[in-house]
Amino acid sequence: MKKFFPIVAFIAVALISLTMAGFAYFATQEAARIKFDATADDALNRIESRIDLHLSLLRSTQALFDARNGDISRGEFKAFFSALDVDNNFAGLRGIGFLRLAKAGDEAAVERDILRDHGVAHQVYPATTQPWRTPIVMFEPIDPSNQASIGFDMFTEPARRAAIEKAMADDQQHASGLVQLGQGTGATQTFPGFLVFVRLNVETAPEVINASRSSTAGFLYAAFRARDLFQTALSRTPLLPVNTEIYDGQPDADNLLFRSETPPVETFGDRLLVTRKIVVAGRPWT
């Protein structure tokens, strides 16, 4: 029996060592997972904070219009926007605009207002079978690349229309799904992004058939370039060692708002993968 003692002792020590190594391995993996979860939460907080900052700007714009009962000239709106120094303070924001709400058939009145404010004639377009028109009548920053967007009726595009209809029903902000900014306006370049709408209530709003819309004169909106917005949020120091994908709704290729330029390390597989869900202006994101 004694001659087997060294072998038994060796096996026992080996088993204990393997057990301890296993515990150490799993403890290390669990620590890595906890640290990764915390890093993912940090990334989420950065994104939410950046979006909240931008949406506060839309609320400030709404307060300006409310204080003037919607009577804001193009020059006053331009001066307000210029004072914000958007390039330095609100990276990712494409711009802020105002949509006039009008019944289909009342385009001529809107076109006269556009001519008065811009000094250039713009038709309301494209043709529609919808009962409502929501053409862009003001937008900043305006430049030759987006001048043709004045008069574009957002109610003719399904993703935009869905968000506008929600904004018609209450005084909350409502985000659209994924859209191509500049699409349908003749822009030379389009950008993946999204829009957030909020209705503007004034005493001189046009008469409408639905009592819940009776004071709606139009909609203020903010346009966001998805890549610029999320890169700005995630590039804040210290840089986070995570790869991020953001989807409008469920994770699907057609819903992809943003993906980190550097792909994740394939050897990690799903070991370091977390999913978070948030709601942005009433719209669920993953």
Side-chain angles (χ1 to χ4, degrees):
M1 186 68 180
K2 290 183 178 180
K3 66 179 181 180
F4 294 110
F5 182 78
I7 298 175
V8 173
F10 173 78
I11 293 174
V13 171
L15 289 174
I16 293 172
S17 298
L18 288 173
T19 301
M20 295 299 294
F23 279 127
Y25 172 79
F26 287 113
T28 301
Q29 292 296 305
E30 182 64 12
R33 186 192 64 78
I34 292 173
K35 183 177 181 180
F36 182 76
D37 283 356
T39 303
D41 288 336
D42 191 359
L44 179 63
N45 289 336
R46 292 185 183 194
I47 292 169
E48 288 184 310
S49 297
R50 172 59 59 170
I51 292 173
D52 286 344
L53 174 65
H54 286 61
L55 294 184
S56 69
L57 176 58
L58 184 58
R59 285 189 287 270
S60 298
T61 307
Q62 183 183 15
L64 171 67
F65 274 72
D66 285 343
R68 299 286 297 275
N69 197 35
D71 186 17
I72 301 291
S73 70
R74 182 194 169 201
E76 291 170 328
F77 186 55
K78 180 179 179 64
F80 167 77
F81 187 85
S82 297
L84 298 173
D85 193 12
V86 167
D87 289 341
N88 291 321
N89 298 322
F90 298 94
L93 178 69
R94 177 64 185 90
I96 296 177
F98 176 60
L99 311 177
R100 178 70 53 78
L101 176 65
K103 292 180 180 179
D106 291 345
E107 292 86 352
V110 178
E111 290 167 356
R112 286 194 298 270
D113 289 343
I114 292 175
L115 177 60
R116 179 197 64 203
D117 292 338
H118 291 265
V120 179
H122 290 269
Q123 290 188 334
V124 175
Y125 72 98
T128 184
T129 58
Q130 297 295 325
W132 298 103
R133 288 289 212 172
T134 58
I136 301 172
V137 296
M138 282 195 287
F139 184 81
E140 289 295 337
I142 196 76
D143 55 50
S145 69
N146 59 25
Q147 182 73 41
S149 66
I150 300 299
F152 174 67
D153 178 11
M154 288 198 184
F155 212 68
T156 60
E157 196 278 314
R160 292 168 170 83
R161 181 169 65 249
I164 292 172
E165 287 179 330
K166 290 179 180 178
M168 282 180 173
D170 58 35
D171 294 321
Q172 303 302 311
Q173 296 178 346
H174 291 277
S176 73
L178 174 64
V179 299
Q180 292 294 322
L181 302 179
Q183 185 179 36
T185 66
T188 57
Q189 188 175 8
T190 62
F191 302 91
F194 62 97
L195 305 156
V196 178
F197 301 91
V198 63
R199 74 178 182 182
L200 176 66
N201 299 325
V202 299
E203 295 178 359
T204 56
E207 180 183 356
V208 295
I209 60 175
N210 188 318
S212 67
R213 306 175 187 176
S214 61
S215 60
T216 303
F219 305 89
L220 293 165
Y221 74 96
F224 299 95
R225 290 179 178 175
R227 176 161 295 279
D228 293 347
L229 176 66
F230 298 127
Q231 280 186 336
T232 299
L234 295 173
S235 62
R236 195 179 73 204
T237 55
L239 295 178
L240 300 177
V242 294
N243 301 94
T244 306
E245 292 182 351
I246 302 172
Y247 295 88
D248 170 45
Q250 295 301 314
D252 183 271
D254 293 337
N255 300 334
L256 182 65
L257 284 166
F258 173 79
R259 174 181 286 141
S260 298
E261 293 182 356
T262 304
V265 179
E266 293 183 359
T267 55
F268 285 154
D270 293 336
R271 287 182 298 151
L272 295 179
L273 174 66
V274 296
T275 300
R276 297 288 188 265
K277 294 182 181 294
I278 61 173
V279 176
V280 176
R283 186 92 183 173
W285 285 3
T286 303

